[in-house]
Amino acid sequence: MSGEVERDVSGEGDEAPGGPKRPAKGPRAARGPGAGLASAVALLVLLSMVAVWTRC
Amino acid sequence: MDQQGDVLKVVEAGMLAGVRPTWTVAGCSLAIGFGMVPGEGAIAWLGHPLAMVLCCGFAVFEWLHARDAQASALSALGFARSGLAAAAALAAVATMAGVENVEVGPLEMASGGGGAALIATLRGTIRDRVKELAHDAASAWVARLEDGGFVLFATLLFVFPLLPLLVLIVFAIAAAIGFAFAMVADRAQRRVCGACGHRARAEAVRCPSCQRGLEPKAWLQPPPRMSAHVEALFAEPPKKESAT
């Protein structure tokens, strides 16, 4: 398309003089699915132990 | 009910704190304060009127907090939530042990507290995933689901203690399967940074390892189905209704 302005998506042009900036994070970097899988498996193991222990 | 069923009830009361820790403690405090439960030993202070007011205040705060997407996004509170859940679980285990007249040992405490901490961590990760997919709009709905789950769990606990355990097991299996699929999808979508070789997420603008700028592939290359739909919209002019 004519007249199209190329966007700078790399972010290389806005570095501070003192070096590269730290990545802008939101209020919290979301935990990945690995953390969810680990906690779900740990909970499953604990619940199974409780079920066996209480002889359900 | 037999002794094992009573022990299960005590442990599940602790796990209940994983969903809404302050509600659980407020329930214990009110039950002890109004004399429905014998509050003895270390938990006797929960029956003090000042403790009852404070516990109810914290419960209202948690109810509001769960609906505030910005407040619930603070990272420090993630750790605090699991610790708070474990602490609340110990109070709930001790209170329920008084109701059921069960001797509480380290195994009951560890099961209740550990279960509550794990449930708190798991619901935190699920909230993160839901917010990633549906943004902040989903926070209120997740909070409502959790409220409903808490009330249902607390009711079933007294009526049929085996059912909450089975529901939790099914929930944990479903969560494990869901997160396993999410992990596979996440790995498949990552791409290698040309500078340092770090596998960054598709939508990353910068490499989290070397800070080098990355081309946001996800923005420029939408999913094939979506791009095909957009191309189809632009390619064909809107059909005019034929004059009869």
Side-chain angles (χ1 to χ4, degrees):
Chain A
M1 194 188 295
S2 63
E4 188 178 6
V5 180
E6 193 179 341
R7 285 172 58 203
D8 177 19
V9 292
S10 66
E12 284 173 345
D14 58 355
E15 285 186 358
K21 289 189 292 188
R22 287 185 65 79
K25 288 183 178 175
R28 172 167 61 184
R31 284 167 284 195
L37 180 63
S39 52
V41 170
L43 181 64
L44 190 59
V45 169
L46 181 84
L47 291 171
S48 306
M49 284 166 62
V50 169
V52 171
W53 168 40
T54 54
R55 293 173 199 163
C56 289
Chain B
M1 189 173 279
D2 61 331
Q3 183 72 11
Q4 297 296 335
D6 292 342
V7 170
L8 180 61
K9 208 184 268 189
V10 168
V11 172
E12 282 179 352
M15 289 180 183
L16 193 61
V19 186
R20 289 278 182 270
T22 60
W23 291 20
T24 310
V25 177
C28 295
S29 177
L30 292 175
I32 295 169
F34 287 114
M36 291 183 278
V37 175
E40 292 162 357
I43 56 165
W45 64 274
L46 280 174
H48 193 278
L50 184 62
M52 289 164 68
V53 172
L54 279 174
C55 287
C56 290
F58 282 129
V60 173
F61 173 74
E62 188 180 20
W63 186 78
L64 294 171
H65 178 270
R67 278 154 178 76
D68 190 330
Q70 295 299 318
S72 57
L74 294 170
S75 63
L77 288 173
F79 298 104
R81 254 181 243 125
S82 298
L84 184 68
L90 299 186
V93 165
T95 308
M96 188 59 92
V99 176
E100 301 297 330
N101 208 14
V102 173
E103 187 126 354
V104 174
L107 204 54
E108 285 87 353
M109 289 287 187
S111 305
L118 281 175
I119 290 170
T121 310
L122 186 56
R123 62 169 271 249
T125 50
I126 290 173
R127 281 183 84 103
D128 283 353
R129 298 300 296 179
V130 170
K131 280 171 77 174
E132 258 189 5
L133 296 171
H135 304 291
D136 292 346
S139 290
W141 280 105
V142 173
R144 282 181 199 125
L145 274 175
E146 286 176 350
D147 292 348
F150 179 89
V151 173
L152 189 69
F153 197 102
T155 310
L156 288 173
L157 177 64
F158 289 99
V159 181
F160 188 52
L162 187 58
L163 200 54
L165 184 72
L166 295 176
V167 169
L168 270 180
I169 288 174
V170 171
F171 170 70
I173 291 171
I177 293 170
F179 276 117
F181 274 112
M183 216 162 103
V184 171
D186 184 68
R187 288 198 177 172
Q189 285 172 357
R190 284 176 183 253
R191 61 216 163 92
V192 179
C193 170
C196 69
H198 181 85
R199 289 182 67 81
R201 294 180 68 165
E203 69 271 23
V205 182
R206 278 175 185 274
C207 172
S209 177
C210 68
Q211 315 297 315
R212 197 178 173 88
L214 295 168
E215 200 174 327
K217 190 175 110 184
W219 298 350
L220 299 177
Q221 294 179 355
R225 277 176 63 194
M226 192 192 291
S227 58
H229 183 62
V230 171
E231 280 170 16
L233 279 174
F234 279 96
E236 293 176 20
K239 290 178 184 173
K240 289 178 184 175
E241 286 184 9
S242 56
T244 53

